[in-house]
Amino acid sequence: MIKGLLIAALVAYCGWWLWQGPKHGPKPMPPPRPSEESAALAVLGLGADADEAAIRAAHRRLLQAVHPDHGGSAELTRRVNAARDVLLKRRIASD
């Protein structure tokens, strides 16, 4: 009887541990930031001749679609924001 209780307790603990998951482990890698201008343009769906107003308009349009508050994901929001930052820094540096 005690042997059966020990086995049941062990099975219950293993199930609980699997359900909870390990507390320590590798942290997920952050999404890659678009470091190249062409990748940032592709994320925002713009051409190479896009000016600052077009970049801001595309960013706003996409952010309204992919923001977590509107059913999107945080990863897509980070990518859209990173693409905007890359392109606006390029525009500011070239002025």
Side-chain angles (χ1 to χ4, degrees):
M1 179 158 168
I2 294 178
K3 188 176 183 182
L5 289 175
L6 289 175
I7 291 174
L10 180 63
V11 169
Y13 175 75
C14 290
W16 175 82
W17 186 81
L18 288 173
W19 179 66
Q20 290 292 320
K23 299 297 181 201
H24 304 288
K27 294 182 180 178
M29 296 286 292
R33 293 180 56 122
S35 58
E36 297 180 21
E37 179 182 336
S38 60
L41 288 170
V43 168
L44 293 180
L46 297 172
D49 59 341
D51 61 346
E52 183 178 344
I55 293 168
R56 291 188 187 277
H59 172 260
R60 182 175 175 86
R61 177 180 44 82
L62 282 174
L63 202 59
Q64 288 175 348
V66 302
H67 197 273
D69 291 345
H70 300 285
S73 71
E75 180 181 347
L76 291 175
T77 301
R78 281 191 291 259
R79 288 185 183 195
V80 170
N81 286 335
R84 179 207 53 197
D85 293 344
V86 166
L87 293 175
L88 288 181
K89 286 178 185 175
R90 180 202 63 171
R91 299 293 183 209
I92 291 171
S94 66
D95 289 341

